[in-house]
């Protein structure tokens, strides 16, 4: 009875918070849940991914996830006006659950998600015991980029996100944010992202990126080893209330069986439909 009451209380809290959240469902540009064992986009924008290599469908933190071997497994995403070829993008949220098999690897970056190329783009990746998020727009108004980071551990679930918030075509303070497990890790100068046509990818760098050390030129490189779940891209800036939903899943996973997390997330998704 106590456990049932606890779950019910969490749901009521999260549902009340979502009333004030910044997430706009109309701005969803890609949602890849992997629950059907493929990389279909459930946002309604038909940005359906194609497997590279042989990702394994496994139990994730919320339903199914994809497990990547870190060598040649990935997902290629097609161009989309709302995702990359349109713009300029003044607001953006990219978020994902990830569980990296070995965060200590330093001979390559482990890309969770990337879009764009060497001139404009965004990226989430793991290397050397850290999770990085990055964004840059090296034309138009010459934003050289920002790559905040945080420490992470192997074989542990995290929720990571980058946010561009109300940006313009000049570099301004507090326009680029990093979030980890529902907490804002960093707020840095940034700006909007103009159209970027280089290919997009999950679990690998499909075609060009810029990492914190300026590496990233090339195609089919920087593969991720481990599990990735619930990748989302929105053209609205999530806030702390939006991220509280994801944080609750991480917290409950750390202290209870996964079944409770799945039940909670399922109820939250249903209330948005």
């Amino acid at each position: 009875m106590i456990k049932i009451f606890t779950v019910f209380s969490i749901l009521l809290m999260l549902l009340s918070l979502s009333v004030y959240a910044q997430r706009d469902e109309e701005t969803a540009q890609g949602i890849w849940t992997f629950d059907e064992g493929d990389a279909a986009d459930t946002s309604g924008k038909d940005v359906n991914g194609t497997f590279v290599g042989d990702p394994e469908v496994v139990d994730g933190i919320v339903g199914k996830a994809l497990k990547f071997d870190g060598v040649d497994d990935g997902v290629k995403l097609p161009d989309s006006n709302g995702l990359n070829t349109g713009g300029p993008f003044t607001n953006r949220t990219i978020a994902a659950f990830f569980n990296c098999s070995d965060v200590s690897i330093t001979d390559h970056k482990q890309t969770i998600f990337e879009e764009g190329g060497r001139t404009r783009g965004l990226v989430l990746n793991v290397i050397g015991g850290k999770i990085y998020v990055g964004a840059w727009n090296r034309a138009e108004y010459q934003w050289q980029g920002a790559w905040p980071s945080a420490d992470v551990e192997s074989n542990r679930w995290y929720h990571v996100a980058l946010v561009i918030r109300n940006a313009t075509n000049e570099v301004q303070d507090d326009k680029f944010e990093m979030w980890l497990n529902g907490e804002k890790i960093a707020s840095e100068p940034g700006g909007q992202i103009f159209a970027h046509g280089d290919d997009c990818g999950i679990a690998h760098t499909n075609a060009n990126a810029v990492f914190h050390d300026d590496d990233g030129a090339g195609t089919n490189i920087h593969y991720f080893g481990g599990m990735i779940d619930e990748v989302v891209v929105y053209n609205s800036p999530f806030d702390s209330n939006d991220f509280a939903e994801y944080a609750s899943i991480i917290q409950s996973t750390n202290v209870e069986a996964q079944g409770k997390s799945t039940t909670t997330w399922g109820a939250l998704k249903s209330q948005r439909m």
Side-chain angles (χ1 to χ4, degrees):
M1 181 64 70
I2 293 175
K3 286 187 176 181
I4 293 174
F5 178 78
T6 301
V7 173
F8 184 69
S9 298
I10 291 172
L11 285 172
L12 286 178
M13 177 189 70
L14 294 175
L15 290 172
S16 64
L17 286 174
S18 66
V19 173
Y20 304 100
Q22 296 299 307
R23 182 203 330 252
D24 179 358
E25 293 303 322
E26 295 298 319
T27 71
Q29 303 302 323
I31 299 175
W32 299 275
T33 68
F34 312 125
D35 286 344
E36 301 302 318
D38 56 22
D41 170 23
T42 63
S43 74
K45 301 298 173 60
D46 295 324
V47 187
N48 299 310
T50 303
F51 283 176
V52 178
D54 190 23
E56 182 182 356
V57 180
V58 297
D59 290 332
I61 191 169
V62 282
K64 296 298 182 181
L66 292 182
K67 185 175 182 179
F68 303 91
D69 64 6
V71 178
D72 58 7
D73 289 346
V75 175
K76 292 187 180 298
L77 302 175
D79 287 338
S80 164
N81 185 66
L83 182 66
N84 64 322
T85 58
F89 303 102
T90 60
N91 291 290
R92 173 62 62 93
T93 298
I94 302 174
F97 288 105
F98 74 95
N99 185 323
C100 186
S101 299
D102 185 358
V103 302
S104 68
I105 290 174
T106 57
D107 63 355
H108 69 279
K109 283 74 176 176
Q110 298 191 71
T111 307
I112 297 170
F113 180 92
E114 64 86 16
E115 58 176 275
R118 298 293 290 175
T119 305
R120 310 168 193 85
L122 305 105
V123 68
L124 294 78
N125 72 278
V126 175
I127 187 171
K130 294 183 179 293
I131 173 70
Y132 287 83
V133 304
W136 58 96
N137 195 102
R138 295 178 167 184
E140 288 85 30
Y141 64 99
Q142 301 299 318
W143 178 27
Q144 294 306 302
W147 292 267
S149 66
D151 293 337
V152 289
E153 299 176 4
S154 302
N155 300 309
R156 183 182 179 94
W157 280 107
Y158 294 91
H159 185 262
V160 64
L162 66 78
V163 174
I164 295 175
R165 191 179 304 278
N166 302 322
T168 65
N169 63 340
E170 63 177 331
V171 179
Q172 296 178 317
D173 289 342
D174 301 323
K175 296 300 181 181
F176 183 62
E177 302 168 0
M178 177 182 185
W179 293 75
L180 189 67
N181 294 347
E183 296 185 9
K184 187 191 295 185
I185 300 300
S187 181
E188 300 198 6
Q192 66 189 22
I193 305 294
F194 282 79
H196 41 287
D198 277 358
D199 294 331
C200 309
I202 295 172
H204 75 308
T205 297
N206 192 350
N208 295 311
V210 179
F211 297 102
H212 66 285
D213 58 359
D214 208 40
D215 183 26
T219 60
N220 300 316
I221 52 177
H222 298 301
Y223 287 89
F224 180 86
M227 295 179 284
I228 298 176
D229 202 352
E230 299 283 343
V231 181
V232 303
V233 178
Y234 280 69
N235 285 339
S236 55
F238 288 17
D239 66 8
S240 58
N241 294 332
D242 297 308
F243 288 122
E245 301 175 6
Y246 299 95
S248 71
I249 297 168
I250 293 293
Q251 291 165 2
S252 59
T253 299
N254 289 340
V255 299
E256 296 188 51
Q258 183 176 318
K260 175 179 171 182
S261 303
T262 303
T263 300
T264 305
W265 183 248
L268 289 166
K269 289 199 287 189
S270 296
Q271 63 95 14
R272 291 201 188 95
M273 298 177 63

